[in-house]
Amino acid sequence: MINPAITLRVIKRSRALRPFKARLDQFIAQRWLTLQKLLAVKRVSSTLQQSKQLFNALHKSLLGFLSHHNSIFPMTLKSVFSSESNKSKAYAQSVDPKELNVLRNEMVKFATMQLGDKDQAEDAVQEALLAALKNSAAYEGRASLKTWVFAILKNKITDMVRKRYRERLVSTQLGDTELDEQADMTDLFNSAGMWEPDERPASWGNPIQSLDDKQFWQIFELCLDGLPSQQAKAFMMREYIGLETIEICQEMTINSNNLHVLLHRSRLRLRECLENRWFRKEASTC
Amino acid sequence: MLSCYEVTRLVSALQEQALPWNKKIALRFHLFQCSACHNFSLQLPFLRKSMHGYRDRLDDLIEKHEPEA
């Protein structure tokens, strides 16, 4: 049954983890997408509630900023920090501009990593800095400046990813196309059901060796992330949590034929991704 | 005769359930002749194995974030 689902473990330990909140926070930010997918497969609503509470609690102090959610301020750092407000002037003066630039670059790097999109990352950083400026009264002492600004930034990113995920969920509700057996497979197979010449699975040699390679796991995670949400959901429930097909069918309210289609498809996609991004590359460099 | 597409479906289904004998034989016959599908049939068990490895890695990560008691 659902035992070691990762979110659940994070939640259970969250109380003990409180002194390590910053690290936990970072961990969750890094694993956000994976966690989201797992959250989607949580069947017990009460634990879902708990996990939501956890995520909210982690960013509770900054939730007020969410109201500015949709506004985008196309200001450069310079104009932000040379703004007329006395408060911001005082704040800007107390911080070395060089230090700020370094900080900003780090933030952009961090946000780009999380969002995978430079423009959105810039927006997030801009908004985070602006929010920091607005609430600069709450900022105490230089030692925590980085932590503090990053906390705001993480909140912003979380919000963006959450929104994106919600949009994706809506747009990929089990539609006809995703359950239609042949649809979406035309790039892999020709009309007679034969492999397209450049899609034929190659031999992976001895793939077990890859499991010790750090880079392999990055690619693996990337490929998992690339699966459409319904496929990912079915695949994670089957292979990560290890549920039986009957349980998954009940959970997703689909019949077993639908499930087999989803699993078949996710496996085709995942192996394609791994072959293109890992196994083929490995072979060509040797 | 099974097409490659049908074969991949059967191979995927094998991860969940046993197949009737006639399908099993048809599958064997195809895999014997078709290297692409043969490779595919070896890759699915590996996917499962790596998924378990992935889970263990994530567990380790959480383990490391436990406070020293």
Side-chain angles (χ1 to χ4, degrees):
Chain A
M1 298 298 292
I2 301 193
N3 44 353
I6 181 166
T7 22
L8 214 58
R9 297 183 54 164
V10 176
I11 295 154
K12 275 187 188 154
R13 293 167 185 186
S14 63
R15 200 162 290 162
L17 280 170
R18 205 151 286 159
F20 298 82
K21 185 173 161 297
R23 277 154 73 191
L24 181 69
D25 221 352
Q26 191 190 358
F27 170 78
I28 287 183
Q30 284 167 355
R31 303 279 147 173
W32 181 251
L33 281 170
T34 316
L35 286 171
Q36 276 295 323
K37 275 177 190 159
L38 284 168
L39 268 185
V41 306
K42 264 300 105 38
R43 34 157 49 171
V44 193
S45 62
S46 65
T47 54
L48 184 66
Q49 203 62 41
Q50 279 176 2
S51 47
K52 270 184 192 154
Q53 276 167 8
L54 170 70
F55 290 127
N56 285 339
L58 284 174
H59 303 288
K60 194 174 155 197
S61 55
L62 298 153
L63 277 181
F65 179 55
L66 291 185
S67 52
H68 299 285
H69 179 200
N70 282 323
S71 46
I72 290 167
F73 306 92
M75 293 187 207
T76 64
L77 188 70
K78 213 175 169 187
S79 65
V80 167
F81 283 93
S82 63
S83 106
E84 290 301 302
S85 152
N86 281 337
K87 218 188 217 175
S88 52
K89 250 185 191 164
Y91 176 69
Q93 278 162 7
S94 75
V95 179
D96 179 12
K98 257 188 206 160
E99 202 180 307
L100 256 179
N101 247 329
V102 173
L103 185 63
R104 189 175 183 283
N105 286 340
E106 278 180 46
M107 288 168 80
V108 172
K109 222 192 238 169
F110 178 80
T112 314
M113 226 163 58
Q114 305 292 327
L115 292 165
D117 181 310
K118 193 96 202 274
D119 289 341
Q120 280 193 335
E122 293 274 356
D123 283 348
V125 171
Q126 212 60 261
E127 288 190 39
L129 283 175
L130 207 71
L133 202 64
K134 269 187 182 162
N135 303 305
S136 53
Y139 163 62
E140 305 147 358
R142 177 178 291 209
S144 62
L145 173 67
K146 191 174 164 183
T147 327
W148 184 61
V149 178
F150 260 80
I152 299 177
L153 177 63
K154 275 181 215 160
N155 183 49
K156 186 69 215 145
I157 292 172
T158 305
D159 195 43
M160 278 182 163
V161 173
R162 216 182 254 164
K163 194 176 154 222
R164 213 196 279 171
Y165 179 77
R166 225 179 291 132
E167 281 166 2
R168 206 173 351 148
L169 256 193
V170 171
S171 66
T172 54
Q173 284 294 330
L174 275 187
D176 292 340
T177 47
E178 207 166 348
L179 289 177
D180 180 9
E181 302 223 1
Q182 299 285 344
D184 191 37
M185 286 293 126
T186 46
D187 54 331
L188 294 183
F189 299 95
N190 66 19
S191 55
M194 309 281 279
W195 291 102
E196 292 288 354
D198 50 344
E199 297 291 351
R200 291 171 65 85
S203 169
W204 287 0
N206 186 8
I208 300 293
Q209 290 170 344
S210 301
L211 298 185
D212 293 329
D213 197 319
K214 240 184 183 171
Q215 273 183 315
F216 170 77
W217 291 111
Q218 285 174 1
I219 305 251
F220 189 78
E221 203 162 45
L222 210 77
C223 290
L224 268 181
D225 256 356
L227 291 177
S229 67
Q230 291 297 323
Q231 285 176 31
K233 196 170 165 182
F235 186 77
M236 292 297 267
M237 281 168 126
R238 178 76 190 115
E239 303 289 0
Y240 189 103
I241 305 181
L243 293 182
E244 293 305 318
T245 47
I246 297 180
E247 297 173 287
I248 306 175
C249 288
Q250 284 170 352
E251 178 62 27
M252 293 180 75
T253 57
I254 53 179
N255 64 35
S256 67
N257 192 45
N258 296 154
L259 178 63
H260 283 297
V261 171
L262 286 178
L263 286 175
H264 178 216
R265 213 159 273 185
S266 59
R267 283 165 178 152
L268 279 170
R269 289 296 170 207
L270 198 56
R271 71 143 293 281
E272 182 194 9
C273 178
L274 284 177
E275 182 161 317
N276 290 342
R277 287 173 185 254
W278 179 255
F279 290 103
R280 202 169 279 178
K281 244 180 211 161
E282 207 180 32
S284 66
T285 52
C286 287
Chain B
M1 273 295 287
L2 293 169
S3 72
C4 292
Y5 175 79
E6 289 165 323
V7 165
T8 60
R9 271 212 73 173
L10 288 179
V11 170
S12 171
L14 256 181
Q15 298 279 306
E16 273 78 52
Q17 68 201 32
L19 293 176
W21 65 271
N22 54 343
K23 286 202 174 158
K24 237 190 243 169
I25 288 175
L27 184 63
R28 282 261 172 92
F29 187 67
H30 183 111
L31 292 183
F32 184 70
Q33 294 177 316
C34 173
S35 64
C37 290
H38 178 73
N39 288 333
F40 180 81
S41 74
L42 295 178
Q43 286 161 7
L44 288 201
F46 172 73
L47 278 190
R48 177 160 290 176
K49 201 166 243 169
S50 44
M51 209 55 200
H52 289 165
Y54 180 66
R55 184 174 62 195
D56 293 345
R57 284 178 72 88
L58 279 185
D59 283 352
D60 282 352
L61 253 169
I62 296 180
E63 217 65 56
K64 275 185 204 142
H65 282 75
E66 281 225 271
E68 299 83 34

